[in-house]
Amino acid sequence: MKKYVWQAEGGAPVDDAIMEFLAGEDVVLDRELFPFDIRATAAHVSGLHRIGVLDESESDRLVQLLEELAEAFDSGRFVLDDRYEDGHSAIEMFLTEKAGEIGAKVHTGRSRNDQVAVATRLYLKHQLGRLVRVNGRIAASCLAKAERHAAVPMPGYTHLQRAVPSSVGLWMAGFAEAFTDDLMLALNVLDLVDCSPLGTAAGYGVNLPLDRDGVASELGFGRLQVNPMYAQNSRGKYEILALQAALHAMQDLRRLAWDLSLFTTAEFDFLVLPREYTTGSSIMPNKANPDVVELLRARAATTAAAADEIQALLSLPSGYQRDLQLTKPPLIRGLGAALQALAIVPGLVDGLGFNEERMRQAISADMFATDVALERAARGVPFRTAYADAKIELQDLAEPDPAASLAQRVSPGACGDLLLDRIRLRLQQELERAEQATEKST
Ligand code: ARG
């Protein structure tokens, strides 16, 4: 029979159906948090030793058992399943089973409320670190493509109608800059959530001089989350921030995926996807479908829905409420889906092929009308007059020379002056900041 840490010896029996409802998929989700929970428990144990609640041998024994548990969980010898109410109880039960009374001391001065908060916080930091790095890799791949094909002409569209000549360099550099922003956003959220809620117990602190600062720095946190009640009230809020950071990357990915699915149609035929990113049709032998790109486009919905689900839960009074348990499924699902999708994007971008001839053919003479109007305006003709004249002369515009037009487009950031070095510099600076941040926290 399942045992509960809070159940008194000989107390009233629990109702299995009700317990099942309470726990839900909690214990399975806690597998994601378990290694972080174990780490935080070891830090809590050392903290208890520093204030004299545990003596050295007790502390050593518990830390050693926690290391064993981490290894056993890692190798699959310890399975976190529905024998336990949740991961937190599993840790305490394991320690008590192995070390008796010493194990029974581990929960001194803490509650499952700050225990789940700290485990989730460490998990958030871990996933945000991954988000930062994958955004960096995508930005680097887009930038390399932009540099390599900087001057390759490509039509520029507005309203999906031919507008002005553009280039692969401009198109790809846009995504390099976007994913650099996404990296920066993830890093800023990482910085914000980098605070330890451990040692706040149920949300009101305890009558022990807990070494909260020491425990926080042992766990690699940048600072303390000072107020015990806010440690609980921020649950869900920080999860939404992390999901939103992931969502912005997913929205940029959705736009890129849209472009890819459009530009690889026979009608456009500008791009060729790497073979491993296409699939065949079960009935039509002629097809190579862009299923991967389509699923990358669709994936943003999972992350957006996860953020919305948590938002919907957070209509709560102050303090811990069991409602907060339901922040875990969307958090884990939403971040997991985003990270899985983003991880395959660098290879996709690296392997993109360009059909330069088709892109050049799609740049029609009318697309040079803006150039013509602006050339005249630069010579002193009022722009509105030059615009009207160019419109009349649209039919008679000379045979276009995309390369010359691109070279003349010298407004900073445009095809004639892409400023790729500036985009690269910012990417490098953000990557360095990311490295320092992750160094600090491990
Ligand atoms: N599974 C719970 C959660 O995620 C753990 C904390 C339980 N705390 C409590 N007081 N019942 O919120």
Side-chain angles (χ1 to χ4, degrees), residues 26 86 88 112-113 116 235 320 322 325 328:
D26 207 44
D86 53 31
H88 324 302
R112 280 184 296 171
N113 298 356
V116 66
R235 199 169 164 205
Y320 176 81
R322 188 67 180 260
Q325 174 171 294
K328 283 193 289 193

Side-chain angles (χ1 to χ4, degrees), residues 154 221 392:
M154 181 178 189
F221 281 108
I392 294 166

Side-chain angles (χ1 to χ4, degrees), residues 2 60 78 131 171 199-200 215 259-260 279 296 313 331:
K2 190 138 109 185
D60 288 351
F78 180 92
L131 183 63
W171 178 61
T200 56
V215 171
D259 287 358
L260 296 180
T279 59
L296 289 177
L313 285 167
L331 174 69

